[in-house]
């Protein structure tokens, strides 16, 4: 009873659908603020997770194979809000919000488990993240249950429907349950398609059923999706895709079957099979190469200072382009851009500049920035570069590359024995060019190409004169496979997107050797790290550190419908290869499997998959290498975009059918329409009904917004004001408002006004 009025406290019912990482973050924030719950209110929380793995969800389950790794280092994963998160509200004491690294150190001290013995820069196994998520989730739930006005119920079942009724919503579960809810938070994470609902996979599933071969449309959980019955000895397993999911599948079917990796004669790894593996693994994709190795993260020591800030690719530049060359959009909002015409040239210019800034140092970087400035400014207002090679993403690089020529000519002159650099002033090692120091550029180039110890020796040789410097440099080799002359190591956009020159790679054997050579070089670049290797610095600094700027250009209909299609089909994959790759130690294992021969990549780029009626197997043909391979089991390792009508779960289809949500549409003023599959959400993540009004009782975070938003899959990062936690804080703010507002109509009006503020692009 409420002692103030003698009445029972009103019950507010919250349903959280999905019990994975985002549910953990939501419960963390709710438990941190639960003292806000008034004495006249009771809170009933129900959390639904179909796998029963509360806190981690199925994708991060602690029971998953030990062969899968996170692609983020342990110090860059967290579980709770910190001081960097704007408007986060009360924060728990620092010891109660550890990073994954700190959590592992504590558990290692308790258990001695070697998998938990991690340094801040180590790459954890994915199951370890699951252990930590479940532990932190349990802690936050216990805190909630300790409050006298709160009850928490965990439901090991799948939510299949959320239906409206007169007083709120009803959550229906696969086991026949029906529970009332005043508010629902949907954090279902990444879902997968029903192969019979998707046109691209329906034929594969039908063929496998008829022919008696095996088709695996979704890889997780690995041990259940890929059992020995269809992937054991004697079976040829085709893996469609060469990204992170493919790597999980490959390691599960090799190391996970008892194979081992041992030191090889060249310092790399050698694979020793167990005999329980498939006869062969055939990995294939459009590009024919695996995702690139993610570089050692040397920015973690001081992210605020070391993470890259845009010079050319900035939010202001995107806004100026939108104003100067943007095309009208269907809802009257800001102009739409063409990614390849308007944004990609800035991405390429930023990558090239960061590449050379890394290679030659800060003074040369300022010189290069100034030289590129005039062409860049003209581009932002729709000037001459738009008419000059409009389809060439490198068309802004001319002045920058000419300035790089001046730097490399000067450094080459010093190393070749000329007394005076061609474009400098002064003589010999005293040369100083217009705005940059030859000494600084030379020493930085030596440090990048040869290492810190050679750089220290070169600094001494510089003072002794050109001959001493030349003798020193001529005796060194680059441990990172970088070109050993200043004129080398040029930025090359084509090599960035397609690292293999296809010339002469017309047999599986030649292609395999080229891939191994590339993987060796890529691993060495990754070992050098994201601050000192120019290639990795450019990719990491632009496609990771400036990802929010790319999202600013793309999200909420920022691109024309036609360009948006191209961006999702082409550049999301490029982002994944350049900035979202696997840990170097993981890629070293993949390289060892290719060298062993168990892992076949000989079909090369453009591989084509066919059901082969004559053999009752799938066939993969490689047009570039003339390879052809029959496979017994086809495992799809491609990420499925969110699409309610193709989803394996009926939940989001039912939301659409009830009129609680609608699909988001990108519409141009000319009537071109692109519907990528995600839901139409307000800026506060409430779904829009078919009439364009929001439903404040529902909040949807994560992949269901794909299309309207980009780059939505991510674990929480500490000290980064991370968007995953900001989104959670936005949900919680509206949660409290609805709970504390006594009149339903007033609640609806307030949320409707809040959602409409700045949301013109969401309502068509």
């Amino acid at each position: 009873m409420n002692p103030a009025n003698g009445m029972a406290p009103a019950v507010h019912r919250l349903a959280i659908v999905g019990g994975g990482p985002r549910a953990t973050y939501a419960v963390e924030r709710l438990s941190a603020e639960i003292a806000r719950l008034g004495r006249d209110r009771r809170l009933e929380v129900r959390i639904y997770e179909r796998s029963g793995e509360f806190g981690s969800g199925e994708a991060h389950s602690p029971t998953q194979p030990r062969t899968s790794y996170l692609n983020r280092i342990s110090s860059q994963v967290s579980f709770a809000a910190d001081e960097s998160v704007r408007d986060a509200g009360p924060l728990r004491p620092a010891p109660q919000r550890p990073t994954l690294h700190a959590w592992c150190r504590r558990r290692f001290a308790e258990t001695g488990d070697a998998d938990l013995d991690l340094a801040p820069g180590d790459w954890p196994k994915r199951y370890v993240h699951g252990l930590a998520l479940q532990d932190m989730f349990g802690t936050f739930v216990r805190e909630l249950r300790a409050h006298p006005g709160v009850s928490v119920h965990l439901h090991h079942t799948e939510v299949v429907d959320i239906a409206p009724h007169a007083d709120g919503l009803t959550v229906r579960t696969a086991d026949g349950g029906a529970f009332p809810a005043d508010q629902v938070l949907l954090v279902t994470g990444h879902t997968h398609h029903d192969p019979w609902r998707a046109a691209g996979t329906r034929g594969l599933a039908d063929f496998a059923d008829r022919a008696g071969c095996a088709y695996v449309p979704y890889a997780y959980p690995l041990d259940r999706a890929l059992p020995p019955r269809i992937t054991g000895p004697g079976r040829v397993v085709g893996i469609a895709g060469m990204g992170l999911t493919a790597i999980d599948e490959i390691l599960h079917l090799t190391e996970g079957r008892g194979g081992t990796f041992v030191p090889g004669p060249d310092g790399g790894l050698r694979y020793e099979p167990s005999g329980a593996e498939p006869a062969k693994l055939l990995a294939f994709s459009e590009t024919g190469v695996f995702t690139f190795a993610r570089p050692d993260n040397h920015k973690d020591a001081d992210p605020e200072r070391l993470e890259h800030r845009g010079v050319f690719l900035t939010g202001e530049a995107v806004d100026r382009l939108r104003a100067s060359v943007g095309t009208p959009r269907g809802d009257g909002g800001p102009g739409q851009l063409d990614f390849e015409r308007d944004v990609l040239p800035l991405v390429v210019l930023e990558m090239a500049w960061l590449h050379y800034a890394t290679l030659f140092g800060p003074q040369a970087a300022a010189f290069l920035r100034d030289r590129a400035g005039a062409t860049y400014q003209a581009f932002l207002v729709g000037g001459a570069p738009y008419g000059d090679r409009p389809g060439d993403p490198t068309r802004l690089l001319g002045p920058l590359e000419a300035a790089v020529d001046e730097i490399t000519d000067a450094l080459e002159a010093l190393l070749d024995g000329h007394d005076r650099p061609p474009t400098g002033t002064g003589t010999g090692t005293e040369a100083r060019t217009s705005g940059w120091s030859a000494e600084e550029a030379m020493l930085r180039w030596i440090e990048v190409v040869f290492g810190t110890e050679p750089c220290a020796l070169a600094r001494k040789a510089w003072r002794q004169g050109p001959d001493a410097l030349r003798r020193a440099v001529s005796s060194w080799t680059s441990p990172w496979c970088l070109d050993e002359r200043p004129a080398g190591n040029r930025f090359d956009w084509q090599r960035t997107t397609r690292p293999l020159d296809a010339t002469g790679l017309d047999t599986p054997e030649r292609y395999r050797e080229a891939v191994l050579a590339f993987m060796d070089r890529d691993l060495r670049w990754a070992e050098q790290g994201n601050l000192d290797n120019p290639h990795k610095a450019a990719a990491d600094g632009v496609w990771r550190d400036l990802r929010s700027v790319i999202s600013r250009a793309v999200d909420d209909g920022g691109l024309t419908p036609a360009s948006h299609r191209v961006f999702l089909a082409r550049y999301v994959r490029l982002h994944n290869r350049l900035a979202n790759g696997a840990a170097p130690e993981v890629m070293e294992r993949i390289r060892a499997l290719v060298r062993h021969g168990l892992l076949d990549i000989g079909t090369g780029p453009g591989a084509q998959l066919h059901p082969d009626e004559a053999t009752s197997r799938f066939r993969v043909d490689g047009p570039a290498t003339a390879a052809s391979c029959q496979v017994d089991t086809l495992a799809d390792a491609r990420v499925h975009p969110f699409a309610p009508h193709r989803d394996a779960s009926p939940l989001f289809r039912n939301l659409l059918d009830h009129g609680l949500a609608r699909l988001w549409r990108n519409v141009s003023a000319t009537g071109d329409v692109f519907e990528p599959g995600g839901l139409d959400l307000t800026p506060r993540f409430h779904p829009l009904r078919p009439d364009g009004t929001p439903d404040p009782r529902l909040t949807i975070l994560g992949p269901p917004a794909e299309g309207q938003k980009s780059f939505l899959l991510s674990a929480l990062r500490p000290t980064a004001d991370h968007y995953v936690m900001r989104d959670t804080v936005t949900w919680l703010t509206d949660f409290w408002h609805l709970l504390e507002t006594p009149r339903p109509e007033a609640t609806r009006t307030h949320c409707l006004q809040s959602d409409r503020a700045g949301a013109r692009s969401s309502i068509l």
Side-chain angles (χ1 to χ4, degrees), residues 60-416:
H60 298 269
S61 169
T63 64
Q64 69 185 286
R66 273 31 177 181
T67 53
S68 297
Y69 285 76
L70 280 184
N71 66 333
R72 190 187 291 176
I73 59 176
S74 65
S75 62
Q76 285 195 332
V77 179
S78 60
F79 311 96
D82 58 32
E83 290 82 359
S84 71
V85 182
R86 298 191 301 268
D87 304 319
L91 300 178
R92 57 188 68 247
Q96 296 178 21
R97 46 183 167 94
T99 63
L100 179 56
H101 168 252
W103 185 91
C104 287
R105 297 315 304 171
R106 292 179 193 170
R107 283 301 180 92
F108 175 68
E110 297 168 1
T111 66
D113 186 336
D115 283 349
L116 305 178
D117 187 13
L118 299 176
D122 286 345
W123 309 84
K125 293 185 176 181
R126 194 177 299 151
Y127 89 92
V128 170
H129 185 212
L131 287 172
L133 281 165
Q134 291 194 2
D135 179 57
M136 299 305 294
F137 177 87
T139 298
F140 304 148
V141 166
R142 286 191 294 274
E143 289 179 4
L144 279 176
R145 285 173 168 163
H147 190 286
V150 178
S151 62
V152 181
H153 308 272
L154 305 182
H155 295 266
H156 178 184
T157 186
E158 180 181 9
V159 172
V160 295
D161 192 14
I162 298 171
H165 63 72
D167 299 322
L169 301 167
T170 298
V171 176
R172 301 187 184 279
T173 58
D175 58 5
F179 303 90
D182 300 296
Q183 293 188 63
V184 178
L185 171 65
L186 288 100
V187 282
T188 52
H190 197 276
T191 58
H192 65 280
H193 295 171
D194 179 344
W196 297 98
R197 288 183 169 271
T201 56
R202 189 182 304 119
L204 299 176
D206 178 67
F207 172 76
D209 268 7
R210 288 187 292 103
C213 55
Y215 172 54
V216 181
Y218 184 66
Y220 301 104
L222 290 166
D223 52 347
R224 296 205 295 271
L226 300 169
R229 176 178 56 82
I230 59 172
T231 60
R235 304 280 295 192
V236 176
V237 179
I239 297 176
M242 298 177 76
L244 297 178
T245 298
I247 290 168
D248 280 353
E249 293 180 357
I250 291 165
L251 293 181
H252 172 62
L253 295 175
T254 54
E255 188 177 20
R257 294 282 169 84
T260 56
F261 294 96
V262 299
D266 62 349
L269 294 178
R270 179 171 57 83
Y271 183 68
E272 293 187 347
S274 67
E277 305 92 343
K280 182 165 71 172
L281 298 169
L282 176 73
F284 61 96
S285 71
E286 175 61 30
T287 64
V289 293
F290 286 103
T291 185
F292 302 167
R294 195 152 169 184
D296 287 350
N297 182 30
H298 297 161
K299 300 175 183 178
D300 193 49
D302 189 353
E304 183 66 26
R305 181 176 63 88
L306 296 175
E307 288 188 0
H308 181 57
R309 304 290 183 264
V311 172
F312 302 103
L313 181 64
T314 65
E316 179 189 11
V318 169
D319 294 344
R320 289 180 64 187
L321 283 169
R322 209 177 289 288
S324 63
V325 301
T327 58
R329 56 194 295 165
D331 59 5
Q336 293 182 311
L337 300 174
D338 182 292
F339 186 81
E340 292 188 315
R341 183 195 68 188
D342 305 325
V343 183
L344 187 59
L346 298 186
V347 171
V348 174
L349 177 61
E350 189 79 32
M351 289 184 72
W353 178 85
L354 184 52
H355 179 106
Y356 294 125
T358 303
L359 189 60
F360 296 120
Q363 289 186 10
F367 167 69
L368 296 173
R369 179 196 62 212
D370 293 343
R371 283 293 191 90
T375 299
Y376 167 68
Q377 292 297 332
F379 180 78
L380 295 184
V381 296
Y386 270 94
D388 180 22
R389 298 178 297 154
D392 183 358
T394 68
R395 63 185 182 275
L396 298 184
L397 298 189
L400 179 77
E401 292 289 356
V404 172
D405 287 340
E406 294 184 27
I407 294 173
T408 59
D409 286 349
L411 300 189
E412 291 281 356
L414 286 169
L415 292 182
D416 287 342

Side-chain angles (χ1 to χ4, degrees), residues 501-580:
D501 182 357
T503 305
L505 305 183
D506 53 358
T507 70
E509 294 75 21
R510 290 172 182 164
Y511 187 77
R512 172 181 176 273
E513 292 308 309
V515 168
L516 286 171
F518 162 72
M519 293 181 75
D520 179 68
R521 183 174 68 248
D522 187 58
L523 282 164
R524 295 194 191 205
W525 289 356
E527 179 187 358
Q528 193 176 11
N530 57 5
L531 289 178
D532 292 321
N533 183 275
H535 305 278
K536 294 296 184 181
D540 187 79
V542 175
W543 290 92
R544 176 157 294 277
D545 293 348
L546 300 184
R547 190 163 51 188
S548 63
V549 181
I550 298 174
S551 293
R552 184 178 182 135
V554 173
D555 289 358
D556 299 309
L559 301 179
T560 66
S563 180
H564 197 180
R565 291 185 187 95
V566 172
F567 176 80
L568 293 180
R570 185 176 302 166
Y571 293 100
V572 171
R573 295 178 184 178
L574 180 62
H575 158 268
N576 291 339
R577 287 207 307 277
L578 293 177
N580 209 26

